[in-house]
């Protein structure tokens, strides 16, 4: 869950070097990509929760078949690995609420941690007997007896299979004033929310004011002091969560709860666009994808050029191989919540176009380095002289077979292609008029 940047260096061979490959997302990295300049960058995301943790003491990301090609086409191939460690194990609470002698709070507060291996074990050191902790959830329970007012220092200890950390806290026990302990109500949204949305939690305190502490802590819902009521906003939620609020003052403490229901995550969907959507014969195009409810892994059918597959992506671009006919591509995107697909087509021009003179009279035309004098409504091209990709037919000012300059008008391959191709209303028979219309 931190940014990463490293440059792979090449040496030797014949300069200039060609782009590094395979450029694009690195499988299993959860966010790293290799650029054509040889830079590995992005944010390493192993999908472990909470943020900054790993499911092990370390993890290795493998990058295979990284290839550098020089100007003569010679290649060097090497595998790399990145050793990933979790962030430093630490306890994130800043302080704890107070309680009152004689009060009992099964959910007094919740200890929170981050980093390390995400299988936590909690314990306490130096704590009074009436203060305990759930070793798995970190929930503190407090039931100070009568006549126990005072400050009670102790240490919270957080361990995983890799390391241990501790942090000192102090719980203040207030003397009972003989009044009525505060009670509370806590309400959340009236209905379910979608994954990734926040929720407003509203509390009201009876026999207040009172201090309050939320468990679990989320966004702006952590703790408050001397309140009779208020509202806070959680962090973005990805699963149904029950929040418990413990309120306390000198008369005692109580707690109340509210559950925020989160709808199940939706399956990913996608859009796929070919850019350009019409290409010359034997040319490539780019396929551009965008994913909703991602990130997701993706697979192209058919595979073409760099358009093969990707991992953990929300959007991106790839380049097809050279195309020689109408080509349809389908992208299937998948994550833990389901799958979806999207499609697009790339329309491809003919290998060469036959062209007719429709200018209204006999004209001189310059094609393939030769002058051709062509009657109106006769074919300018021949069986062996076609209008090929990248070529242009020029109509010259003369009509006597000399092709005298200047050039009066031109017809390019792309103009003929766009007139004839079916997506634009043409008949796709590889024939066009010099005036730029379908034949």
């Amino acid at each position: 869950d931190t940014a990463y940047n490293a440059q792979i260096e090449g040496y030797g061979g014949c300069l200039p070097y060609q782009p590094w490959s395979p450029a694009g997302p690195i499988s299993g990295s959860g966010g790293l990509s290799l650029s054509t300049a040889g830079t590995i960058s992005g944010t390493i995301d192993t999908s472990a929760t909470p943020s900054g943790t790993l499911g092990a003491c370390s993890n290795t990301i493998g990058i295979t078949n990284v290839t550098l090609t020089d100007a003569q086409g010679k290649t060097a191939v090497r595998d790399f690995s990145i050793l990933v460690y979790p962030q430093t194990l630490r306890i994130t609470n800043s302080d704890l609420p107070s309680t009152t002698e004689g009060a009992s709070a099964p959910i007094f507060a919740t200890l929170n941690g981050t980093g390390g291996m995400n299988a936590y074990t909690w314990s306490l050191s130096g704590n009074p007997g009436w203060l305990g902790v759930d070793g798995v959830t970190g929930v503190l329970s407090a039931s100070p007896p009568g006549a126990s007012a005072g400050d009670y220092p102790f240490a919270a200890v957080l361990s995983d299979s890799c390391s241990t950390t501790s942090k000192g806290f102090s719980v203040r026990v207030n003397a009972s004033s003989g009044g009525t302990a505060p009670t509370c109500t806590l309400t959340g949204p009236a209905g379910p929310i979608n994954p990734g949305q926040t929720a407003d939690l509203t509390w009201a305190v009876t026999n207040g004011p009172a201090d309050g502490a939320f468990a679990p802590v989320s966004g702006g819902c952590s703790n408050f002091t001397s309140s009779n009521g208020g509202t806070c906003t959680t962090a973005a939620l990805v699963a149904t969560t029950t929040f418990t609020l413990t309120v306390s003052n000198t008369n005692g403490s109580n707690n109340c709860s509210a559950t925020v229901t989160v709808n199940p995550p939706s399956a990913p969907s996608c859009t796929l666009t070919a850019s350009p959507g019409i290409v010359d014969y034997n040319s490539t195009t780019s396929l551009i994808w965008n994913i909703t409810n991602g990130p997701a892994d993706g697979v192209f059918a058919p595979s073409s050029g760099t358009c093969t597959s990707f991992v953990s992506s929300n959007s991106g671009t790839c380049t097809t191989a050279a195309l020689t006919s109408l080509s349809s591509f389908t992208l299937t995107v998948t994550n833990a919540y389901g799958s979806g697909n999207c499609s697009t087509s790339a329309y491809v021009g003919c290998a060469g176009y036959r062209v007719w003179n429709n200018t209204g009279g006999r004209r001189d035309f310059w094609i393939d380095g030769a002058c051709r004098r062509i009657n109106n409504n006769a074919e300018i091209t021949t069986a062996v002289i076609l209008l090929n990709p990248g070529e242009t037919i020029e109509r010259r000012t003369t009509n006597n077979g000399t092709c005298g300059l200047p050039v009066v008008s031109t017809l390019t391959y792309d103009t003929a292609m766009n007139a004839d191709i079916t997506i634009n209303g043409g008949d796709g028979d590889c024939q066009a008029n010099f005036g730029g219309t379908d034949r």
Side-chain angles (χ1 to χ4, degrees), residues 28-285:
S29 69
L32 294 184
S33 294
L34 174 65
S35 74
T36 55
T39 301
I40 300 173
S41 61
T43 299
I44 299 173
D45 182 6
T46 63
S47 299
T49 56
S51 176
T53 64
L54 282 179
C57 296
S58 63
N59 195 8
T60 299
I61 298 173
I63 310 172
T64 59
N65 298 322
V66 176
T67 303
L68 177 62
T69 305
D70 70 5
Q72 294 181 338
K74 296 179 179 179
T75 61
V77 181
R78 184 172 175 180
D79 296 340
F80 294 91
S81 61
I82 300 173
L83 190 59
V84 180
Y85 294 99
Q87 295 181 17
T88 302
L89 183 67
R90 61 189 182 90
I91 299 170
T92 58
N93 300 73
S94 56
D95 50 32
L96 298 174
S98 61
T99 185
T100 303
E101 57 187 11
S104 178
I107 304 177
F108 171 62
T110 299
L111 297 172
N112 297 292
T114 187
M117 183 177 172
N118 59 359
Y120 290 163
T121 300
W122 294 93
S123 61
L124 304 179
S125 175
N127 55 299
W130 48 263
L131 181 66
V133 65
D134 185 300
V136 176
T137 65
V139 171
L140 291 169
S141 58
S143 54
S148 61
D151 293 325
Y152 293 83
F154 70 97
V157 182
L158 173 59
S159 301
D160 59 15
S161 299
C162 314
S163 58
T164 298
T165 188
S166 64
K167 187 174 182 178
F169 294 96
S170 181
V171 172
R172 171 161 291 184
V173 178
N174 298 310
S176 174
S177 62
T180 303
T183 60
C184 62
T185 59
L186 185 65
T187 57
I193 64 174
N194 292 322
Q197 292 183 323
T198 61
D200 289 338
L201 301 180
T202 301
W203 69 87
V205 178
T206 303
N207 302 322
D211 298 341
F214 287 91
V217 173
S218 178
C221 300
S222 55
N223 56 64
F224 56 79
T225 58
S226 191
S227 172
N228 284 305
T231 299
C232 63
T233 301
T234 68
L237 302 177
V238 297
T240 297
T241 305
T242 297
F243 292 91
T244 298
L245 171 63
T246 300
V247 293
S248 58
N249 59 20
T250 56
N251 297 318
S253 63
N254 278 295
N255 56 58
C256 48
S257 299
T259 298
V260 179
T261 301
V262 180
N263 289 322
S266 299
S269 60
C270 62
T271 59
L272 186 64
T273 305
S275 180
I278 302 174
V279 297
D280 294 358
Y281 182 85
N282 205 35
S283 296
T284 66
T285 190

Side-chain angles (χ1 to χ4, degrees), residues 253-347:
S253 63
N254 278 295
N255 56 58
C256 48
S257 299
T259 298
V260 179
T261 301
V262 180
N263 289 322
S266 299
S269 60
C270 62
T271 59
L272 186 64
T273 305
S275 180
I278 302 174
V279 297
D280 294 358
Y281 182 85
N282 205 35
S283 296
T284 66
T285 190
S286 294
L287 300 184
I288 303 169
W289 68 88
N290 287 280
I291 298 174
T292 302
N293 300 323
D297 299 343
V299 177
F300 288 93
S303 294
S304 179
T306 63
C307 301
T308 55
S309 63
F310 55 78
V311 294
S312 190
S313 172
N314 284 305
S315 62
T317 301
C318 62
T319 302
T320 67
L323 305 177
T324 57
S325 62
L326 172 65
S327 300
S328 296
F329 297 93
T330 297
L331 171 63
T332 300
V333 293
T334 306
N335 61 19
Y337 308 113
S339 62
N341 58 66
C342 47
S343 299
T344 192
S345 294
Y347 291 80

